[in-house]
Amino acid sequence: GGSNRRSGGGGRGGGGGIPFDFASLQPSPSVNEAKRWLKQAWSDCVAMRILKSELYQSQVSCQVIFLAHEVSEKALKAGMYKLVGLNPSSLVNHELHCHAQAICSQRPGRFVSLINIASKMSSYYVKSRFPNQHPLYDAPVDVYNESHAITAAEYAEMVIKFIDEVVNED
């Protein structure tokens, strides 16, 4: 008798191996993690407000817009941690509308405008930072103006206040 072992058998040896715990992949809510993410979102909000106060003296509109996205993303992830938890793929997802939809699915009817705001901010993540996202010779600093920055900052303020209520409710 030769060996009946097949190649690619998983390298576990024996027949049983260690059973994989699929439940470990399921996210679970965490108030502490939600508060940690919200704390960072508020810190980013302070930085956004400081830059926003310099809009008319400096060309920082695209930086305000990027920070508005950061505030919103971290706040929405805080909301996700509070309501359902976050799995690794959601953690690296920067699409605000995905997080907003997940939050709204947990609180039907309550946060409908959150999806709308998140959708309007979706293009800011990459386009507010990288010149190759715009026609030749234009950089984000050329494309975005004070009006864009003020609108983005207002949206971010709405998102973080909304999520602050969610994270801090009983």
Side-chain angles (χ1 to χ4, degrees):
S3 171
N4 288 335
R5 178 177 253 186
R6 293 186 215 168
S7 65
R12 298 244 187 231
I18 300 169
F20 187 77
D21 179 16
F22 286 99
S24 68
L25 295 178
Q26 290 296 104
S28 59
S30 170
V31 173
N32 289 337
E33 197 62 6
K35 288 184 177 186
R36 188 167 80 119
W37 279 79
L38 188 61
K39 180 180 178 181
Q40 187 60 46
W42 278 115
S43 176
D44 290 353
C45 192
V46 170
M48 178 190 73
R49 290 170 179 165
I50 290 168
L51 279 179
K52 185 179 154 202
S53 72
E54 296 294 319
L55 275 176
Y56 297 100
Q57 290 81 23
S58 310
Q59 289 188 313
V60 294
S61 294
C62 54
Q63 287 81 10
V64 171
I65 291 167
F66 175 66
L67 278 172
H69 188 282
E70 288 290 293
V71 169
S72 300
E73 181 178 347
K74 289 171 187 161
L76 288 167
K77 287 179 177 178
M80 291 283 292
Y81 269 117
K82 168 69 186 256
L83 298 174
V84 294
L86 268 175
N87 61 31
S89 64
S90 294
L91 196 54
V92 296
N93 180 346
H94 307 291
E95 298 293 331
L96 301 182
H97 66 276
C98 293
H99 301 301
Q101 286 176 334
I103 290 168
C104 290
S105 72
Q106 297 299 307
R107 298 286 197 273
R110 187 167 167 201
F111 301 118
V112 177
S113 62
L114 193 60
I115 295 173
N116 188 32
I117 292 168
S119 294
K120 289 178 182 178
M121 294 186 70
S122 289
S123 69
Y124 293 149
Y125 183 67
V126 174
K127 290 186 175 187
S128 67
R129 300 183 298 152
F130 300 112
N132 66 322
Q133 298 297 309
H134 302 281
L136 199 56
Y137 307 114
D138 282 340
V141 69
D142 304 315
V143 174
Y144 295 106
N145 61 34
E146 294 87 357
S147 176
H148 295 120
I150 290 167
T151 299
E154 287 172 353
Y155 287 153
E157 295 272 359
M158 285 186 245
V159 170
I160 197 168
K161 288 173 185 167
F162 233 36
I163 298 302
D164 193 88
E165 287 180 29
V166 171
V167 170
N168 291 304
E169 71 187 5
D170 292 331

